[in-house]
Amino acid sequence: MVLTGADIFAEVLVEQGVETLFGYPGGAVLNLYDALYKYSGKIRHIMTAHEQGAAHAADGYARATGKTGVVLATSGPGATNLVTGIATAYMDSIPMVAITGNVGTSLIGRDSFQEVYIAGITMPITKHNFVVRKVDELADILRDAFRIAQTGRKGPVLVDIPKDVTGATAEFTPVKPQIPVYKTELDGQELARAAQVIGNARRPVIYFGGGVAASEAGEELYALAKKAEIPATYTMMAAGVLSYGDPLNLGLLGMHGCRTTNRAVNEADLVLAIGTRFSDRVALNTEKFAKNAAILQIDIDPSEVNKNVEVDYSLVGDVKQILQALLPLVKDAKHTEWMTQIQAWQAQDYRPKDDKYCIRPHQLIGKMCELAGPDALYVTDVGQHQMWATQYIRHVKPRSFLTSGGLGTMGFGYGAAIGAKLAVGESRPVIHITGDGSFHMNLNEACTAVSYELPVITVIFNNTVLGMVRQWQTAFYGKRYSSTDPHRKTNYVKLAEGFGAKGYHCETLDAFSAAFAEALKSKGPVWIECVIDKDEKVLPMIPAGGSIEDMIMD
């Protein structure tokens, strides 16, 4: 059948199983939006306040579901407003297809109105970029974009479509979509050697990251840890893969990980690095990281092997497939002496003190978890509140803690929470945890949550300063607080009401408990401002480039 490029665009989205699309209209994409009007019964379009919010929403949708998030923006500033959101998805290996309109092909390269070379701008932060030049190429290019986003190491793909291509016509043949399958080439000898290395270890530790969540390999990872009795630690991107309170769950590793976790890696004789990339927030000093251990790395991306830390053994491929093949080869084991030592260290770990006269972050998060229940999905912005959330949320499920890890994007949270809420619907509460600094970056997305009646609960940790930067200024810059106190007078209750949301102001834990309980019953968005002391610190802390010997405990 003969269709316009715009109708081909809509048909391929339906073909690829896209049910929700985030975006913002403009001149270069008017044909696409006209097609979305006709296909509104099959594709739900969510219009955000800003294109960056749309990109973060598509990202949050993808993180919550494992599906490919889709975002649409017009040419010029619409396209450039996606850049931060695309980069956020790229750094955390999140599958996303970003579709941008552009000026007509005859106007490209002439500095036309709202023209920008978005493919060139985003080339370093996407898995692949396409610029469509002919309408008869559009369908296959869009299909390739979805395939690339989900195949191998996941990530964002950009498709730039000039306006005349969306108006031209071509023959369209529907295709039954095929789920991308990444097949790992398994080497029996390498697997056997890895199993032997694991079997010979006396002080093993599993260190895993977001690749385990992306591969849906949580069950296999836990089966390995259980079978060989190997304690496990995780990066921020993998929170929830192992359940809170499990004896084998050591907790967070790295700059703000607990002392036991960092000490266990320091004293281990084997580190199994699974689906993780040895970032500088974990392997802060690559010369000293796991200095007593052999390292076995499992990762889907061969470029990650030996990139940041030299490893002794490696298995390249999909984590789930490798663990499934490795498990039968690994012998049952007990490491009683090692586990006893770890338990002794845990008894001496840093524990913040409770206070009934003010709101302490750990108590606030504990109360939040208690009231929200185990099915809650948490989304954070970036800063101190993010690290407190990582440390103290009682993580029990994968894809239940969404945060910007690699890029550290302030303003990520509200858009991502909106995307996550649209993904999970009424089945789960979605809690957006933010700081006053991060929240000011994209709080305009409140109008989106109100318009679509999304009961996202936003908890604002308001210490009136840029807390994480101020913490560094306290520790390393002689308390010279340069530009970390913005002196804002924002009244969050009135602002929430101005948007059409509910707002609460809390200065005690009891006040928060009451407000949060009410928020859980709300049919629309709620903001809860919690007053936090500006001198609250995220502890423990290892300075950048340091090791466990440099850990700051108070």
Side-chain angles (χ1 to χ4, degrees), residues 254-256 279-286 288 468 471-472 475-477 540-548 550-552:
M255 178 175 283
H256 293 295
S279 83
D280 58 305
R281 287 300 174 103
V282 172
L284 296 101
N285 185 320
T286 55
K288 294 183 178 181
M468 187 61 86
Q471 179 170 331
W472 281 59
F476 309 118
Y477 291 87
M541 176 182 178
I542 301 175
S547 65
I548 191 170
D550 307 304
M551 182 173 278
I552 298 169

Side-chain angles (χ1 to χ4, degrees), residues 495-530:
L495 187 56
E497 291 171 350
F499 275 113
K502 280 186 179 179
Y504 296 90
H505 172 87
C506 302
E507 298 186 12
T508 66
L509 196 59
D510 286 344
F512 169 76
S513 299
F516 194 79
E518 286 300 312
L520 287 168
K521 304 172 191 175
S522 177
K523 301 299 182 184
V526 177
W527 297 4
I528 307 176
E529 177 196 8
C530 299

Side-chain angles (χ1 to χ4, degrees), residues 236-464:
M236 188 166 59
M237 295 303 301
V241 170
L242 285 189
S243 183
Y244 168 85
D246 190 285
L248 293 173
N249 185 350
L250 294 179
L252 184 69
L253 178 67
M255 178 175 283
H256 293 295
C258 65
R259 186 176 182 86
T260 292
T261 305
N262 284 288
R263 189 167 184 178
V265 169
N266 193 57
E267 299 294 329
D269 63 359
L270 174 67
V271 170
L272 279 72
I274 305 176
T276 191
R277 59 189 179 86
F278 299 95
S279 83
D280 58 305
R281 287 300 174 103
V282 172
L284 296 101
N285 185 320
T286 55
E287 298 299 319
K288 294 183 178 181
F289 182 79
K291 61 183 180 182
N292 299 307
I295 299 177
L296 167 59
Q297 184 175 6
I298 302 173
D299 203 278
I300 199 167
D301 187 350
S303 71
E304 289 295 346
V305 178
N306 293 319
K307 185 176 84 173
N308 293 327
V309 170
E310 290 289 325
V311 303
D312 301 278
Y313 313 94
S314 63
L315 296 170
V316 175
D318 181 83
V319 166
K320 189 180 188 79
Q321 295 173 28
I322 289 176
L323 291 181
Q324 286 173 341
L326 185 61
L327 265 168
L329 306 178
V330 173
K331 296 178 180 178
D332 288 37
K334 291 289 182 184
H335 297 101
T336 305
E337 185 177 340
W338 180 227
M339 294 302 296
T340 300
Q341 176 63 79
I342 286 171
Q343 288 162 9
W345 289 336
Q346 286 174 327
Q348 302 171 10
D349 269 339
Y350 168 83
R351 286 177 176 79
K353 295 178 181 179
D354 292 351
D355 193 322
K356 64 181 180 180
Y357 299 108
C358 65
I359 296 179
R360 299 295 309 279
H362 71 285
Q363 289 177 280
L364 176 58
I365 292 168
K367 181 59 68 175
M368 201 183 305
C369 293
E370 175 190 322
L371 295 173
D375 289 330
L377 189 154
Y378 297 91
V379 185
T380 83
D381 272 296
V382 171
Q384 285 183 312
H385 66 275
Q386 176 191 34
M387 300 315 305
W388 287 319
T390 311
Q391 290 175 329
Y392 299 121
I393 287 175
R394 299 164 193 169
H395 306 284
V396 295
K397 290 182 179 180
R399 300 196 182 281
S400 293
F401 183 72
L402 315 183
T403 193
S404 171
L407 196 63
T409 305
M410 293 176 70
F412 165 81
Y414 215 162
I418 286 168
K421 187 61 185 175
L422 286 160
V424 302
E426 296 180 4
S427 62
R428 304 173 65 186
V430 171
I431 318 300
H432 169 216
I433 298 173
T434 187
D436 53 299
S438 280
F439 195 44
H440 274 91
M441 296 247 178
N442 269 338
L443 59 78
N444 54 328
E445 291 304 336
C447 66
T448 309
V450 169
S451 294
Y452 292 96
E453 297 180 332
L454 301 175
V456 173
I457 302 172
T458 296
V459 181
I460 307 162
F461 286 51
N462 186 11
N463 57 5
T464 72

